[in-house]
Amino acid sequence: MVDDALSSPGQPALRRIRRLTEAYAWLSSVAFAVQLLVMGVGPGRFVLFALVPLVLLSWLLRPMRDSWLIALVECAVVHGAMFVLPTPQPALGFVFAVTVQRALRGTDHERFPLRAMPALLGFLTGFTVWLSVTPVAVTGPMVASVVMPLVGLAVVATALHETARSARLVQDAHRTVETVVRASPVGLVLVDAEGAPLLHNDRARELLAWSEDAPGRVPCPHGPDITACARGCRAAEDAVEVRVTRADGSTGVLAVQAVPVEHVSEPHTLVTALDVSKRRELEDQLRTRAERDELTGLAGRTHFLHLVDAALPAGETVGLLVIDLDGFKEVNDAEGHEAGDWYLVSAAERIGRAVGPVATAARLGGDEFAVLAPGHDVRDAARLATRILSELARPLTGLGHDTVIRASVGVAVSSPGVGTADLLRDADTAMYVAKREGGGRIRLFRPEMGERVLARQRDKADLRTAVSDGQLVLHYQPIVDLATSEAAGAEALVRWQRPGHGLLGPGEFIGLAEETGLIVPLGNKVLAGACEQAMRWREQGRSLGVTVNVSTRQLSAPAFLPSLDRVLKTTGLPPERLTIEVTESVWADGAAMRGLMEVRETGVRVALDDFGTGYSSLSYLQRYPFDVVKIDRSFTNALAETGRTAGVVRCIIDLAEVLGAHTVAEGIETQAQADWLRNAGCAYAQGYLFGRPDLAENWDAQPSVPH
Ligand code: C2E
Ligand code: MG
Ligand code: MG
């Protein structure tokens, strides 16, 4: 809107005059033609006839130009008409209209009255001369002699009025432009092709540090003068940002842009300068935030990956270390998030210190850090990793008790053509292997590690599906009362019917389930399945208790007790019919131990599985009461070999009796083992001799318990 008003002031008025004169030209030319035809052709008139098409032709061909030739032809027509014709008004009107038309077509409207003046004067003189020599009544038809001149006069008056108005509008538009330019917060300079300033504002002087003493030369922050600057800016599509020092010594950033101004006859350029210091400052802050990890101040993940991207094509070997803190989750859970943050910050400081200026340390997220070490081969990278681990291992005293930071480090070194993602994945794989091997160690990446990790990831995904899709199967193994040789209960042992792999034993997936936390939903399924089975046996009149293996990780989860309660309620199984089997590792886990005691309070019985293989601490056995102690299979196997094993087993049986617990001997394969254990006072036994783990529906087909 504003643009239109400024660029074409008075345009509608000029259009109106143009239409008016066009109509008048047509009217005159028709009258002129009629006049010539009616009057017949004398020699003078013949010349006139020949000239008229010339005028028309020149008008059509070169309507935009002032040309002497055209002016001459027009002059000849005017004078010829005056001398030859009795009523020259139509011819004069026609020539006048043509001239006005031509004048109006140019772009320089201000000069229009000047250019139209000769035709106007010719018209008026001719008309006056004719009026003075010829009485109106006798000279010809009314239209040619009276109406035509009057219409011509009206056209002239309107044209003069409109052009004056148009000139005023142009002036107003100039004034508006000047005001806008002056008020603009953007520095504006309009320069001509030589770089001379045509229009500018004070803001431009201020921003470009353009002193009043140098009026003709506009300085530019990036170029010797404004023309070079404009050229440079025009080459760039967007504004070019330049850092400048202001008069008061402070620095800022200017966005300078040059736009060609095309609707004037000479090439002009509008240079704009905008102070973008504040925006730039904010952007810098945001960029720093994105580049830095907020908590630790180390490089952030995205920025770090960019750094690796930039380092790789340089050709030298690049070492990449991925560091994952061991046991951070425990610190976070036990000591709270603030302590967790402090722990991370301490770790970051130590990593940064160990790395020094030769490499860049970053926090990739959570408790995972990384180090980019350009120019480090395997040996250098391993040395750096050792330095990091020993720096981390220095005593840390801020948590109210002494602790050390342990971490697993994976190291990968670039080879030609390797990408950032590959290198990071390799270092990550090596770290993962270090973690799986117990943590607190450094592992260098080897290609076969990648395959193992991939296979493990596949297993993980499949196991998740197995738990949700019912691929888990429960087998039951009889626990026999050695006195009566009757089955007193059954141990539920889980199997995985894995598509394409057959039936997998727990040894192949329980470790993975524990590592991934899948043990919790898996354990719940086993618990529910076993309790339902025990209820079915009960309904069939078989008095069989059921035993379920529960891992330490399950027990330490706060949700274990509620889910146990729920299962007992929904199945209706009396709690004393259920035995939970735990291994000695439970002693090392306070939360699991507390969970176990709560389980015991519900009336569910608790068995210590594989006794003798783990902590084997008799003092623990004394301190925490168990209902059942299961003597590990390794003792049963060794019974026949040494007298010492027999002594130990006898001792365990006696101790359990003193503590009020039953003993179950595991892995009985021979009748001799069963007899020895019965004689030694062992109450129950379990083993292939009595029955292999099998589906509940096959239980009746098991080899019968020997008497
Ligand atoms: P466990 O609780 O000690 O189970 C006894 C294991 O000994 C079973 O192996 C059983 O098949 C095997 N066994 C029983 N009698 C004999 C015998 O006479 N000779 C020999 N050589 N082996 C015998 P399985 O089923 O492979 O289970 C292995 C372990 O997996 C179990 O040891 C238990 O710790 C764990 N497990 C099984 N099911 C579950 C479960 O649902 N949850 C958890 N957390 N662990 C489970
Ligand atoms: Mg067991
Ligand atoms: Mg066992």
Side-chain angles (χ1 to χ4, degrees):
M1 281 290 285
V2 175
D3 260 14
D4 271 7
L6 291 181
S7 63
S8 55
Q11 283 288 336
L14 292 177
R15 259 200 306 276
R16 275 201 300 278
I17 311 174
R18 227 166 16 225
R19 273 201 293 272
L20 205 64
T21 49
E22 210 164 82
Y24 184 63
W26 279 112
L27 194 68
S28 317
S29 58
V30 170
F32 187 28
V34 170
Q35 202 180 26
L36 290 176
L37 284 173
V38 167
M39 294 179 77
V41 183
R45 285 171 196 163
F46 179 77
V47 176
L48 211 57
F49 254 132
L51 285 175
V52 169
L54 253 177
V55 173
L56 273 173
L57 208 68
S58 65
W59 180 42
L60 285 172
L61 289 179
R62 317 183 76 177
M64 304 291 286
R65 296 264 190 93
D66 288 317
S67 147
W68 285 110
L69 178 73
I70 299 170
L72 265 174
V73 171
E74 282 166 4
C75 196
V77 171
V78 169
H79 286 93
M82 275 171 58
F83 289 111
V84 176
L85 298 173
T87 46
Q89 289 89 341
L92 292 178
F94 171 68
V95 174
F96 159 73
V98 166
T99 316
V100 171
Q101 274 281 312
R102 198 176 54 249
L104 284 177
R105 293 218 173 168
T107 46
D108 190 359
H109 299 142
E110 271 178 275
R111 287 171 61 200
F112 155 69
L114 204 69
R115 281 195 274 159
M117 206 52 84
L120 240 160
L121 286 178
F123 172 72
L124 288 176
T125 344
F127 183 56
T128 319
V129 168
W130 175 81
L131 265 188
S132 57
V133 295
T134 325
V136 174
V138 291
T139 43
M142 268 301 267
V143 175
S145 59
V146 182
V147 179
M148 286 294 299
L150 286 180
V151 174
L153 274 177
V155 171
V156 170
T158 321
L160 282 177
H161 172 77
E162 290 292 357
T163 44
R165 214 177 76 122
S166 150
R168 211 175 43 245
L169 280 174
V170 169
Q171 240 175 25
D172 283 355
H174 272 297
R175 233 171 272 137
T176 313
V177 169
E178 261 175 32
T179 316
V180 169
V181 167
R182 223 175 294 126
S184 166
V186 177
L188 298 168
V189 188
L190 182 69
V191 291
D192 64 13
E194 272 72 50
L198 302 170
L199 189 71
H200 71 276
N201 60 6
D202 291 347
R203 187 78 180 127
R205 278 198 178 279
E206 188 190 322
L207 290 177
L208 300 172
W210 177 19
S211 86
E212 305 270 350
D213 313 335
R217 198 188 143 268
V218 187
C220 182
H222 67 98
D225 62 13
I226 201 80
T227 30
C229 172
R231 259 199 310 277
C233 288
R234 250 182 277 170
E237 279 192 0
D238 293 325
V240 178
E241 293 196 0
V242 247
R243 199 162 275 281
V244 287
T245 309
R246 302 194 187 99
D248 61 358
S250 62
T251 56
V253 181
L254 283 190
V256 185
Q257 193 165 21
V259 217
V261 180
E262 268 150 10
H263 71 280
V264 285
S265 43
E266 290 167 36
H268 290 174
T269 305
L270 179 68
V271 179
T272 62
L274 185 65
D275 187 352
V276 291
S277 313
K278 283 223 173 66
R279 192 194 73 199
R280 192 54 187 274
E281 207 176 299
L282 195 72
E283 278 172 2
D284 285 351
Q285 275 174 18
L286 288 175
R287 196 169 307 125
T288 313
R289 271 172 68 109
E291 282 177 3
R292 301 265 132 215
D293 170 56
E294 218 174 328
L295 178 67
T296 60
L298 295 182
R301 186 185 183 93
T302 316
H303 180 51
F304 181 75
L305 295 182
H306 284 147
L307 292 179
V308 182
D309 276 343
L312 282 179
E316 59 180 353
T317 322
V318 171
L320 188 72
L321 280 59
V322 169
I323 306 155
D324 195 280
L325 305 186
D326 298 333
F328 172 70
K329 191 179 170 299
E330 284 71 30
V331 174
N332 218 22
D333 290 350
E335 319 266 352
H337 285 259
E338 251 173 59
D341 283 356
W342 179 80
Y343 192 80
L344 287 175
V345 171
S346 310
E349 272 169 15
R350 290 172 175 207
I351 294 171
R353 207 174 308 139
V355 158
V358 295
T360 310
R363 180 174 171 225
L364 297 184
D367 60 346
E368 198 171 58
F369 297 84
V371 172
L372 167 70
H376 282 51
D377 59 12
V378 175
R379 191 184 303 215
D380 297 337
R383 222 176 278 143
L384 181 61
T386 314
R387 221 169 40 237
I388 290 171
L389 278 195
S390 52
E391 183 68 32
L392 283 174
R394 286 193 305 108
L396 189 67
T397 47
L399 286 174
H401 55 85
D402 275 7
T403 180
V404 287
I405 305 177
R406 283 176 90 245
S408 309
V409 186
V411 178
V413 172
S414 69
S415 47
V418 79
T420 301
D422 302 328
L423 195 61
L424 191 69
R425 189 201 52 220
D426 292 352
D428 205 48
T429 303
M431 183 280 292
Y432 182 71
V433 171
K435 183 137 286 206
R436 248 192 28 218
E437 289 176 4
R441 64 196 67 206
I442 301 159
R443 284 290 167 263
L444 303 176
F445 174 76
R446 276 179 291 120
E448 58 272 23
M449 280 181 179
E451 285 149 29
R452 261 175 29 214
V453 169
L454 262 183
R456 203 161 172 80
Q457 274 164 352
R458 255 197 315 273
D459 289 351
K460 228 190 263 182
D462 286 358
L463 185 59
R464 186 161 289 125
T465 318
V467 174
S468 55
D469 286 9
Q471 292 172 14
L472 299 175
V473 183
L474 284 183
H475 282 193
Y476 296 89
Q477 186 179 31
I479 299 170
V480 171
D481 182 341
L482 279 173
T484 60
S485 295
E486 291 289 326
E491 180 175 5
L493 295 159
V494 70
R495 273 96 183 90
W496 175 10
Q497 187 67 57
R498 187 177 183 186
H501 290 75
L503 194 66
L504 304 185
E508 292 184 71
F509 60 90
I510 289 292
L512 184 64
E514 288 190 337
E515 203 178 283
T516 53
L518 279 171
I519 191 72
V520 175
L522 183 151
N524 285 339
K525 287 244 154 112
V526 172
L527 193 66
C531 289
E532 279 162 21
Q533 185 55 51
M535 275 309 280
R536 270 197 288 278
W537 281 325
R538 202 172 146 84
E539 281 153 16
Q540 291 164 9
R542 298 170 91 164
S543 173
L544 291 170
V546 75
T547 299
V548 175
N549 294 283
V550 173
S551 84
T552 304
R553 174 117 192 229
Q554 264 177 284
L555 263 183
S556 61
F560 181 72
L561 196 66
S563 60
L564 175 69
D565 272 341
R566 209 170 28 249
V567 168
L568 289 175
K569 268 202 197 87
T570 49
T571 55
L573 185 74
E576 64 279 6
R577 291 261 135 205
L578 175 67
T579 304
I580 297 289
E581 280 189 20
V582 293
T583 57
E584 287 163 287
S585 66
V586 77
W587 283 327
D589 190 321
M593 210 56 221
R594 280 191 295 277
L596 191 66
M597 292 304 113
E598 284 168 1
V599 167
R600 216 161 168 262
E601 278 163 27
T602 64
V604 169
R605 287 149 49 92
V606 177
L608 185 59
D609 205 356
D610 306 339
F611 183 73
T613 55
Y615 287 71
S616 305
S617 167
L618 297 179
S619 66
Y620 272 121
L621 198 57
Q622 252 175 315
R623 212 165 336 140
Y624 300 107
F626 283 85
D627 301 292
V628 178
V629 174
K630 294 185 85 170
I631 304 167
D632 190 63
R633 200 171 69 226
S634 53
F635 291 96
T636 317
N637 284 347
L639 270 180
E641 292 161 19
T642 64
R644 255 178 75 195
T645 308
V648 172
V649 172
R650 208 173 267 126
C651 186
I652 297 172
I653 296 168
D654 290 347
L655 181 70
E657 201 183 331
V658 171
L659 296 172
H662 296 299
T663 39
V664 177
E666 294 185 274
I668 313 296
E669 292 181 0
T670 65
Q671 191 57 49
Q673 287 167 339
D675 293 341
W676 189 92
L677 285 159
R678 190 188 305 113
N679 291 335
C682 179
Y684 299 92
Q686 188 179 348
Y688 293 167
L689 176 70
F690 308 112
R692 287 178 178 261
D694 202 350
L695 291 168
E697 49 265 40
N698 299 337
W699 247 49
D700 292 332
Q702 288 259 345
S704 63
V705 177
H707 289 272

PDB file of all heavy atoms in Angstrom, residues 222 229-241 256-260:
ATOM      1  N   HIS A 222      32.773  -3.012   6.233  1.00  0.00           N
ATOM      2  CA  HIS A 222      33.561  -4.079   5.590  1.00  0.00           C
ATOM      3  C   HIS A 222      33.794  -3.781   4.119  1.00  0.00           C
ATOM      4  O   HIS A 222      33.172  -4.296   3.225  1.00  0.00           O
ATOM      5  CB  HIS A 222      32.925  -5.462   5.788  1.00  0.00           C
ATOM      6  CG  HIS A 222      31.626  -5.634   5.105  1.00  0.00           C
ATOM      7  ND1 HIS A 222      31.515  -6.242   3.892  1.00  0.00           N
ATOM      8  CD2 HIS A 222      30.396  -5.254   5.458  1.00  0.00           C
ATOM      9  CE1 HIS A 222      30.246  -6.237   3.540  1.00  0.00           C
ATOM     10  NE2 HIS A 222      29.556  -5.644   4.473  1.00  0.00           N
ATOM     11  N   CYS A 229      31.390  -1.954  -0.360  1.00  0.00           N
ATOM     12  CA  CYS A 229      30.543  -2.609   0.634  1.00  0.00           C
ATOM     13  C   CYS A 229      29.259  -3.102  -0.021  1.00  0.00           C
ATOM     14  O   CYS A 229      28.847  -4.244   0.169  1.00  0.00           O
ATOM     15  CB  CYS A 229      30.236  -1.610   1.737  1.00  0.00           C
ATOM     16  SG  CYS A 229      29.051  -2.172   2.911  1.00  0.00           S
ATOM     17  N   ALA A 230      28.659  -2.228  -0.824  1.00  0.00           N
ATOM     18  CA  ALA A 230      27.411  -2.589  -1.499  1.00  0.00           C
ATOM     19  C   ALA A 230      27.629  -3.775  -2.426  1.00  0.00           C
ATOM     20  O   ALA A 230      26.818  -4.685  -2.484  1.00  0.00           O
ATOM     21  CB  ALA A 230      26.877  -1.396  -2.288  1.00  0.00           C
ATOM     22  N   ARG A 231      28.781  -3.756  -3.117  1.00  0.00           N
ATOM     23  CA  ARG A 231      29.087  -4.883  -4.016  1.00  0.00           C
ATOM     24  C   ARG A 231      29.182  -6.183  -3.225  1.00  0.00           C
ATOM     25  O   ARG A 231      28.587  -7.188  -3.573  1.00  0.00           O
ATOM     26  CB  ARG A 231      30.410  -4.620  -4.745  1.00  0.00           C
ATOM     27  CG  ARG A 231      30.214  -4.131  -6.166  1.00  0.00           C
ATOM     28  CD  ARG A 231      31.478  -4.329  -6.997  1.00  0.00           C
ATOM     29  NE  ARG A 231      32.676  -3.823  -6.357  1.00  0.00           N
ATOM     30  CZ  ARG A 231      33.062  -2.541  -6.387  1.00  0.00           C
ATOM     31  NH1 ARG A 231      32.319  -1.647  -7.017  1.00  0.00           N
ATOM     32  NH2 ARG A 231      34.169  -2.158  -5.795  1.00  0.00           N
ATOM     33  N   GLY A 232      29.929  -6.086  -2.120  1.00  0.00           N
ATOM     34  CA  GLY A 232      30.114  -7.262  -1.264  1.00  0.00           C
ATOM     35  C   GLY A 232      28.792  -7.763  -0.730  1.00  0.00           C
ATOM     36  O   GLY A 232      28.513  -8.963  -0.722  1.00  0.00           O
ATOM     37  N   CYS A 233      27.963  -6.809  -0.321  1.00  0.00           N
ATOM     38  CA  CYS A 233      26.673  -7.187   0.260  1.00  0.00           C
ATOM     39  C   CYS A 233      25.763  -7.790  -0.794  1.00  0.00           C
ATOM     40  O   CYS A 233      25.024  -8.721  -0.524  1.00  0.00           O
ATOM     41  CB  CYS A 233      25.989  -5.983   0.863  1.00  0.00           C
ATOM     42  SG  CYS A 233      26.792  -5.450   2.354  1.00  0.00           S
ATOM     43  N   ARG A 234      25.842  -7.224  -2.002  1.00  0.00           N
ATOM     44  CA  ARG A 234      24.948  -7.725  -3.042  1.00  0.00           C
ATOM     45  C   ARG A 234      25.299  -9.157  -3.434  1.00  0.00           C
ATOM     46  O   ARG A 234      24.451  -9.949  -3.786  1.00  0.00           O
ATOM     47  CB  ARG A 234      25.004  -6.813  -4.264  1.00  0.00           C
ATOM     48  CG  ARG A 234      23.700  -6.047  -4.408  1.00  0.00           C
ATOM     49  CD  ARG A 234      23.724  -5.185  -5.615  1.00  0.00           C
ATOM     50  NE  ARG A 234      24.406  -3.924  -5.333  1.00  0.00           N
ATOM     51  CZ  ARG A 234      24.735  -3.065  -6.284  1.00  0.00           C
ATOM     52  NH1 ARG A 234      24.484  -3.315  -7.520  1.00  0.00           N
ATOM     53  NH2 ARG A 234      25.320  -1.932  -5.964  1.00  0.00           N
ATOM     54  N   ALA A 235      26.621  -9.455  -3.317  1.00  0.00           N
ATOM     55  CA  ALA A 235      27.053 -10.821  -3.645  1.00  0.00           C
ATOM     56  C   ALA A 235      26.451 -11.802  -2.639  1.00  0.00           C
ATOM     57  O   ALA A 235      26.047 -12.898  -3.000  1.00  0.00           O
ATOM     58  CB  ALA A 235      28.569 -10.902  -3.622  1.00  0.00           C
ATOM     59  N   ALA A 236      26.397 -11.373  -1.378  1.00  0.00           N
ATOM     60  CA  ALA A 236      25.788 -12.244  -0.361  1.00  0.00           C
ATOM     61  C   ALA A 236      24.284 -12.041  -0.414  1.00  0.00           C
ATOM     62  O   ALA A 236      23.825 -10.921  -0.584  1.00  0.00           O
ATOM     63  CB  ALA A 236      26.300 -11.850   1.018  1.00  0.00           C
ATOM     64  N   GLU A 237      23.531 -13.111  -0.283  1.00  0.00           N
ATOM     65  CA  GLU A 237      22.072 -12.969  -0.410  1.00  0.00           C
ATOM     66  C   GLU A 237      21.460 -12.325   0.815  1.00  0.00           C
ATOM     67  O   GLU A 237      20.570 -11.498   0.725  1.00  0.00           O
ATOM     68  CB  GLU A 237      21.449 -14.340  -0.650  1.00  0.00           C
ATOM     69  CG  GLU A 237      21.575 -14.707  -2.099  1.00  0.00           C
ATOM     70  CD  GLU A 237      20.743 -15.885  -2.487  1.00  0.00           C
ATOM     71  OE1 GLU A 237      20.060 -16.437  -1.636  1.00  0.00           O
ATOM     72  OE2 GLU A 237      20.800 -16.226  -3.677  1.00  0.00           O
ATOM     73  N   ASP A 238      21.957 -12.709   1.992  1.00  0.00           N
ATOM     74  CA  ASP A 238      21.415 -12.155   3.218  1.00  0.00           C
ATOM     75  C   ASP A 238      22.303 -11.019   3.694  1.00  0.00           C
ATOM     76  O   ASP A 238      23.340 -10.757   3.115  1.00  0.00           O
ATOM     77  CB  ASP A 238      21.356 -13.237   4.294  1.00  0.00           C
ATOM     78  CG  ASP A 238      20.339 -14.297   3.924  1.00  0.00           C
ATOM     79  OD1 ASP A 238      19.326 -13.915   3.322  1.00  0.00           O
ATOM     80  OD2 ASP A 238      20.580 -15.475   4.217  1.00  0.00           O
ATOM     81  N   ALA A 239      21.840 -10.412   4.796  1.00  0.00           N
ATOM     82  CA  ALA A 239      22.640  -9.348   5.376  1.00  0.00           C
ATOM     83  C   ALA A 239      23.978  -9.918   5.845  1.00  0.00           C
ATOM     84  O   ALA A 239      24.050 -11.044   6.301  1.00  0.00           O
ATOM     85  CB  ALA A 239      21.887  -8.739   6.538  1.00  0.00           C
ATOM     86  N   VAL A 240      25.029  -9.093   5.683  1.00  0.00           N
ATOM     87  CA  VAL A 240      26.348  -9.529   6.145  1.00  0.00           C
ATOM     88  C   VAL A 240      26.551  -8.950   7.538  1.00  0.00           C
ATOM     89  O   VAL A 240      26.308  -7.763   7.758  1.00  0.00           O
ATOM     90  CB  VAL A 240      27.438  -8.991   5.191  1.00  0.00           C
ATOM     91  CG1 VAL A 240      28.809  -9.382   5.685  1.00  0.00           C
ATOM     92  CG2 VAL A 240      27.194  -9.506   3.798  1.00  0.00           C
ATOM     93  N   GLU A 241      26.946  -9.789   8.486  1.00  0.00           N
ATOM     94  CA  GLU A 241      27.131  -9.280   9.847  1.00  0.00           C
ATOM     95  C   GLU A 241      28.588  -8.919  10.064  1.00  0.00           C
ATOM     96  O   GLU A 241      29.481  -9.698   9.755  1.00  0.00           O
ATOM     97  CB  GLU A 241      26.662 -10.316  10.862  1.00  0.00           C
ATOM     98  CG  GLU A 241      25.154 -10.505  10.783  1.00  0.00           C
ATOM     99  CD  GLU A 241      24.551 -11.196  11.978  1.00  0.00           C
ATOM    100  OE1 GLU A 241      25.273 -11.557  12.911  1.00  0.00           O
ATOM    101  OE2 GLU A 241      23.321 -11.361  11.960  1.00  0.00           O
ATOM    102  N   VAL A 256      24.586  -5.566   7.695  1.00  0.00           N
ATOM    103  CA  VAL A 256      24.559  -4.620   6.574  1.00  0.00           C
ATOM    104  C   VAL A 256      24.056  -5.348   5.332  1.00  0.00           C
ATOM    105  O   VAL A 256      24.471  -6.463   5.040  1.00  0.00           O
ATOM    106  CB  VAL A 256      25.972  -4.053   6.299  1.00  0.00           C
ATOM    107  CG1 VAL A 256      25.927  -2.992   5.220  1.00  0.00           C
ATOM    108  CG2 VAL A 256      26.551  -3.469   7.569  1.00  0.00           C
ATOM    109  N   GLN A 257      23.131  -4.676   4.643  1.00  0.00           N
ATOM    110  CA  GLN A 257      22.576  -5.296   3.445  1.00  0.00           C
ATOM    111  C   GLN A 257      22.450  -4.230   2.356  1.00  0.00           C
ATOM    112  O   GLN A 257      22.166  -3.073   2.655  1.00  0.00           O
ATOM    113  CB  GLN A 257      21.200  -5.870   3.769  1.00  0.00           C
ATOM    114  CG  GLN A 257      20.683  -6.786   2.691  1.00  0.00           C
ATOM    115  CD  GLN A 257      19.523  -7.628   3.174  1.00  0.00           C
ATOM    116  OE1 GLN A 257      18.871  -7.268   4.145  1.00  0.00           O
ATOM    117  NE2 GLN A 257      19.253  -8.718   2.501  1.00  0.00           N
ATOM    118  N   ALA A 258      22.689  -4.613   1.104  1.00  0.00           N
ATOM    119  CA  ALA A 258      22.533  -3.666   0.001  1.00  0.00           C
ATOM    120  C   ALA A 258      21.504  -4.202  -0.973  1.00  0.00           C
ATOM    121  O   ALA A 258      21.597  -5.344  -1.399  1.00  0.00           O
ATOM    122  CB  ALA A 258      23.860  -3.482  -0.699  1.00  0.00           C
ATOM    123  N   VAL A 259      20.521  -3.371  -1.272  1.00  0.00           N
ATOM    124  CA  VAL A 259      19.479  -3.816  -2.204  1.00  0.00           C
ATOM    125  C   VAL A 259      19.480  -2.891  -3.406  1.00  0.00           C
ATOM    126  O   VAL A 259      19.434  -1.670  -3.240  1.00  0.00           O
ATOM    127  CB  VAL A 259      18.076  -3.717  -1.545  1.00  0.00           C
ATOM    128  CG1 VAL A 259      17.192  -4.851  -1.966  1.00  0.00           C
ATOM    129  CG2 VAL A 259      18.141  -3.573  -0.052  1.00  0.00           C
ATOM    130  N   PRO A 260      19.552  -3.430  -4.613  1.00  0.00           N
ATOM    131  CA  PRO A 260      19.481  -2.553  -5.784  1.00  0.00           C
ATOM    132  C   PRO A 260      18.092  -1.919  -5.893  1.00  0.00           C
ATOM    133  O   PRO A 260      17.093  -2.593  -5.680  1.00  0.00           O
ATOM    134  CB  PRO A 260      19.756  -3.500  -6.954  1.00  0.00           C
ATOM    135  CG  PRO A 260      19.604  -4.865  -6.430  1.00  0.00           C
ATOM    136  CD  PRO A 260      19.698  -4.830  -4.949  1.00  0.00           C
TER     137      PRO A 260
END
